[in-house]
Amino acid sequence: VKLDVLTTLAVIFGGLSLLAVGGANAVIPDMHRALVDARAMVSDSDFALLVALAQASPGPNVILVGLLGFQIAGVAGAAVSTVAMTVPSTVLAVGAMHTSRRLFSPRLRSVASAALAPITVGLILGSGYTLTMAAGAHLATWLLSGATVAFLFLRPKVNPLWTLGAAAVLGLAFRL
Amino acid sequence: MADAGADLEMIETARPGPLRIFVGFAQIALHSFGGAAPWARRMLVDKRGWMTEQEFTDELGAGQLLPGPNIVNVAVRLGDRMAGPWGVVAALAGLVGVPTVLSVSVAAFLMQWIHMGPVHATLIGMACASAGLVWHMGFKIGLRSVRAPLDIALALATFAAVGPLHVPLVFILAVGIPLSLALHWRRA
């Protein structure tokens, strides 16, 4: 049973590794679909809590993958998921380095980055939507998410950790 | 003495081995809250001189064109250039391995309490804020690089598909990327 779970994690994250155009945050909806909707390996609110924990921890966003793997299958799950999420894209990135200067003309490069920008932005906003819904999908979660966005635009220099701390206090005060 | 120290530092930064690469990227990881790129720039360009400013910008741009976590792509390419395959392993272990071990340890401790009412309420509050951080990141990149009506339409369509409509990412990328490439190619 355990091996089955690990294999499933390896397949899911190995695939997402190659789809993660725009970084780890852009594939949050697909992680949610695969782990929560399709297989019920993680509950909706645990998913949201692990994302919160990943955001509050130091390190690149991809550590979310290790946390999800850990919640599903312990330390082995964390290791398998993290390796599966990083190795395929790493092989591609290192491989591309030896060819990219010859393969991509400057024009193709600039067209590609202009073309990917709107897709990436759409995917990241879709991740925000998925996360707000996973946190509870009622008025209070939308208000708190919205207030965070407003605050970050009004006070761009403030360390984003403060917003997590303030929201933690509000969550406790209003029994979210 | 100071000169000898400076010379040694120069020699070390000129050809960092896997151990120094591991330590360097672990430092970046442990300093970065809410996105690693600003810290990576500071450490790689300003403090260690492993890349020039221009190289960093180019590499981050290339990292964004490739699938996979952006800053991880920058790290593994740099690791490969500086120390070959072991440099790649060292960069991954430092940048991803170290913070993963740390956050998993915290999670292992926290998960016992997670279903207690007050703990749960606190974490849900944090979950809302972390959703807000992701929304904000999307809006911020959008305001900077998605300005033409065509781009706004593409971003909204992608958002609707991946968010409310639950379309699998594979389909979105398979349709969206060729469509966007074709539209931008004609305009370029």
Side-chain angles (χ1 to χ4, degrees):
Chain A
V1 178
K2 201 76 186 279
L3 202 63
D4 269 13
V5 173
L6 293 179
T7 312
T8 307
L9 288 174
V11 170
I12 290 172
F13 287 116
L16 286 181
S17 176
L18 295 176
L19 293 178
V21 179
N25 273 353
V27 289
I28 285 176
D30 248 46
M31 289 184 199
H32 186 272
R33 162 205 314 293
L35 301 174
V36 181
D37 298 341
R39 292 184 190 78
M41 291 170 118
V42 187
S43 76
D44 214 8
S45 82
D46 281 359
F47 187 90
L49 299 184
L50 291 169
V51 174
L53 197 57
Q55 295 271 11
S57 307
N61 298 322
V62 68
I63 60 172
L64 168 63
V65 167
L67 287 171
L68 288 166
F70 177 75
Q71 174 71 4
I72 292 162
V75 171
V80 166
S81 304
T82 302
V83 169
M85 185 73 188
T86 45
V87 169
S89 59
T90 291
V91 170
L92 198 70
V94 173
M97 180 164 56
H98 301 288
T99 47
S100 71
R101 266 153 227 255
R102 275 157 282 162
L103 268 185
F104 298 132
S105 65
R107 181 181 180 215
L108 185 57
R109 253 191 179 212
S110 80
V111 168
S113 79
L116 280 180
I119 309 265
T120 301
V121 166
L123 293 178
I124 293 172
L125 293 175
S127 294
Y129 175 89
T130 304
L131 291 176
T132 304
M133 296 297 277
H138 39 72
L139 185 61
T141 58
W142 281 101
L143 286 177
L144 197 44
S145 292
T148 307
V149 176
F151 179 83
L152 290 167
F153 272 115
L154 293 173
R155 292 270 178 281
K157 304 256 184 223
V158 171
N159 188 322
L161 277 183
W162 288 107
T163 64
L164 289 178
V169 173
L170 288 172
L172 184 63
F174 291 96
R175 292 291 155 127
L176 278 182
Chain B
M1 280 308 281
D3 281 348
D7 279 345
L8 193 65
E9 184 68 21
M10 290 269 289
I11 291 161
E12 277 184 1
T13 49
R15 272 196 78 90
L19 184 65
R20 281 181 61 89
I21 294 172
F22 170 79
V23 172
F25 279 109
Q27 269 180 345
I28 291 171
L30 296 179
H31 277 101
S32 46
F33 288 93
W39 267 100
R41 177 193 298 270
R42 217 166 128 172
M43 293 294 234
L44 299 176
V45 177
D46 301 339
K47 278 192 78 176
R48 296 188 183 261
W50 287 351
M51 302 172 104
T52 65
E53 181 79 33
Q54 187 60 42
E55 278 172 335
F56 183 82
T57 307
D58 287 351
E59 276 296 304
L60 199 60
Q64 279 158 353
L65 291 186
L66 296 161
N70 297 333
I71 200 69
V72 178
N73 282 341
V74 174
V76 296
R77 286 154 69 92
L78 183 61
D80 179 57
R81 230 171 43 201
M82 293 194 302
W86 285 112
V88 175
V89 173
L92 280 179
L95 185 63
V96 181
V98 168
T100 297
V101 168
L102 189 77
S103 63
V104 163
S105 310
V106 173
F109 174 74
L110 265 185
M111 280 301 174
Q112 306 168 259
W113 318 97
I114 209 168
H115 294 292
M116 280 174 56
V119 179
H120 194 258
T122 306
L123 290 171
I124 288 290
M126 285 175 64
C128 294
S130 64
L133 292 179
V134 174
W135 281 107
H136 173 254
M137 181 184 169
F139 286 127
K140 205 175 77 178
I141 304 175
L143 286 173
R144 197 175 57 217
S145 60
V146 180
R147 314 207 66 140
L150 175 75
D151 286 338
I152 294 171
L154 277 167
L156 286 177
T158 307
F159 163 75
V162 76
L165 298 178
H166 297 279
V167 179
L169 184 59
V170 169
F171 298 131
I172 295 169
L173 296 182
V175 175
I177 290 181
L179 180 67
S180 188
L181 274 174
L183 293 169
H184 282 87
W185 188 258
R186 284 182 45 195
R187 218 171 42 176

